[in-house]
Amino acid sequence: MGGFEILMIAVGVSMDAFAVSICKGLSVRKLRPSYPLSAALWFGGFQALMPLAGFFLGVSFADFVSSVDHWIAFILLGIIGANMVKDSFDKDESCSLDPDFSFRTMLALAVATSIDALAVGVSLAFLK
């Protein structure tokens, strides 16, 4: 895998963190210098660490997962599809902005936006 492919994976994986950080910045009324720094450290840190964690998890479980990987993909995609169908019938479309930059909020957002980076790290562990 060359540098261009790695760059494209990195850009694709980081788009959700980019979107959340923009929305987080737009949610505050008065911008403090600590807010962009906090968002950059949380999202950038997790985007950097989760692929590494995924890679090491993938290497340690590669023998087990390779025998049932098709079933894992089927179950995960089925759950995601069922959740999308369920959400399409949900009538509650309320949206609220949360300008909170607390530890708990930022940790949850950083983990949520870097789950795909974890999956990429696991996938990279299976490459020859």
Side-chain angles (χ1 to χ4, degrees):
M1 182 178 299
F4 180 74
E5 290 87 2
I6 293 173
L7 178 66
M8 290 295 105
I9 291 171
V11 168
V13 165
S14 66
M15 284 295 117
D16 53 352
F18 175 68
V20 170
S21 64
I22 286 177
C23 292
K24 209 57 185 152
L26 290 172
S27 70
V28 296
R29 294 202 182 265
K30 185 173 190 232
L31 187 62
R32 296 185 183 148
S34 64
Y35 291 160
L37 181 63
S38 174
L41 290 176
W42 277 105
F43 295 130
F46 272 79
Q47 289 294 323
L49 293 176
M50 289 297 248
L52 292 173
F55 180 80
F56 290 121
L57 280 172
V59 167
S60 62
F61 294 112
D63 294 334
F64 170 71
V65 172
S66 62
S67 64
V68 293
D69 58 356
H70 55 284
W71 289 110
I72 293 171
F74 174 74
I75 291 169
L76 288 175
L77 290 173
I79 291 170
I80 291 169
N83 191 31
M84 289 174 72
V85 169
K86 181 185 75 77
D87 286 345
S88 70
F89 292 109
D90 192 14
K91 299 293 182 205
D92 183 26
E93 302 230 357
S94 63
C95 179
S96 64
L97 294 176
D98 186 13
D100 187 18
F101 275 83
S102 68
F103 175 83
R104 186 175 179 183
T105 301
M106 294 304 289
L107 177 65
L109 288 173
V111 169
T113 58
S114 62
I115 294 294
D116 55 347
L118 180 76
V120 166
V122 171
S123 300
L124 291 176
F126 289 100
L127 292 178
K128 300 289 181 208

